[in-house]
Amino acid sequence: MQTVDYFKTPIWSEQKSEWVKPLNKLCDGYIENTKDLYKDRIEKQGSDFGIVHHSTDLSNLPELETYLNYIGSKSADFLSCMGYDLKNHSLVFTSAWVQEFPKDGGGNHNTHIHANNHVSGFFYLNVSSEGSYPVFHDPRPAALASALPQKNKDEITHASESFHYKPRPGTLIIMPAYLNHQYVVSKNDPFRFIHFNLQAIENRFLKK
């Protein structure tokens, strides 16, 4: 019997280790600024447990232009390989920010997507083997609604409802923005990454 896979959800990843040092240095100040916002709360509870630090939007930052241009180009290739025709569209960043999970642990994100986008992704700056990591969930609601018991949840199969990915510092991930994802609760380990989203906009709506 021939098997053909339909309705697949691709995830691209590559290693850009040479980005880690300069981007960490660039992001240090933005993370420190966000920590100042929670200074009183941290002092009151005597810990930063559970406080995830998010920077302001960095998508228009000149110092990030080279990196974002690369990600934008790869994202266009990604959509093209999925079969989408972008000749009348341009990809633009709707957001990009750095976030760092608390040093005392408890950082996490519940399952979510980033609406009104076409590509989402991550670039990992600080990662620990014992720290948090992303979990991706089946984006097909009809498949989840009618799911049967799995024979072995430790194997990735067509029946899997989710899977996790263990990134390394320098790992770049590009994925469809419709893919549900979450981050598991962190321990007291360093975990910092840049999250970004892009939208394909019809060229007729862009300023000349």
Side-chain angles (χ1 to χ4, degrees):
M1 184 72 70
Q2 181 183 13
T3 298
V4 180
D5 293 328
Y6 295 105
F7 310 114
K8 295 185 292 186
T9 298
I11 297 177
W12 279 12
S13 67
E14 67 173 304
Q15 202 64 23
K16 301 291 290 182
S17 300
E18 68 275 16
W19 288 8
V20 173
K21 186 175 180 179
L23 285 179
N24 255 326
K25 183 177 180 180
L26 176 64
C27 291
D28 281 342
Y30 291 94
I31 289 296
E32 288 305 313
N33 287 340
T34 67
K35 289 181 179 180
D36 287 340
L37 299 176
Y38 295 101
K39 185 176 180 179
D40 292 341
R41 178 179 167 186
I42 292 172
E43 289 181 352
K44 184 177 180 179
Q45 69 182 34
S47 168
D48 70 347
F49 181 85
I51 301 175
V52 178
H53 305 289
H54 296 258
S55 76
T56 55
D57 180 54
L58 307 178
S59 61
N60 292 312
L61 197 65
E63 295 90 334
L64 274 180
E65 184 176 4
T66 299
Y67 307 100
L68 295 182
N69 284 344
Y70 180 89
I71 292 171
S73 177
K74 288 293 184 179
S75 296
D77 292 342
F78 174 76
L79 290 175
S80 179
C81 285
M82 287 184 71
Y84 294 111
D85 183 358
L86 296 181
K87 67 175 179 290
N88 294 318
H89 291 73
S90 296
L91 269 182
V92 299
F93 281 88
T94 59
S95 59
W97 68 99
V98 61
Q99 54 187 286
E100 183 175 284
F101 280 18
K103 63 180 179 61
D104 294 329
N108 68 94
H109 289 309
N110 291 329
T111 304
H112 64 284
I113 62 169
H114 296 275
N116 204 29
N117 288 286
H118 296 102
V119 175
S120 290
F122 318 99
F123 182 72
Y124 296 92
L125 295 167
N126 293 334
V127 180
S128 166
S129 60
E130 298 298 323
S132 184
Y133 52 84
V135 178
F136 302 102
H137 298 274
D138 189 341
R140 303 167 300 171
L144 295 172
S146 59
L148 293 167
Q150 298 177 48
K151 288 190 292 186
N152 185 352
K153 290 190 175 184
D154 293 329
E155 294 182 0
I156 301 298
T157 69
H158 289 289
S160 298
E161 296 178 359
S162 64
F163 72 93
H164 69 265
Y165 188 98
K166 288 295 187 74
R168 295 180 290 150
T171 297
L172 171 65
I173 288 180
I174 294 175
M175 64 188 192
Y178 64 71
L179 184 59
N180 292 293
H181 55 280
Q182 72 176 100
Y183 279 90
V184 301
V185 178
S186 66
K187 300 179 181 178
N188 54 341
D189 295 292
F191 190 61
R192 179 191 285 188
F193 62 98
I194 295 173
H195 200 338
F196 54 85
N197 296 296
L198 299 96
Q199 182 186 88
I201 298 178
E202 287 190 57
N203 292 333
R204 63 193 178 96
F205 295 123
L206 297 174
K207 294 181 178 179
K208 301 295 185 181

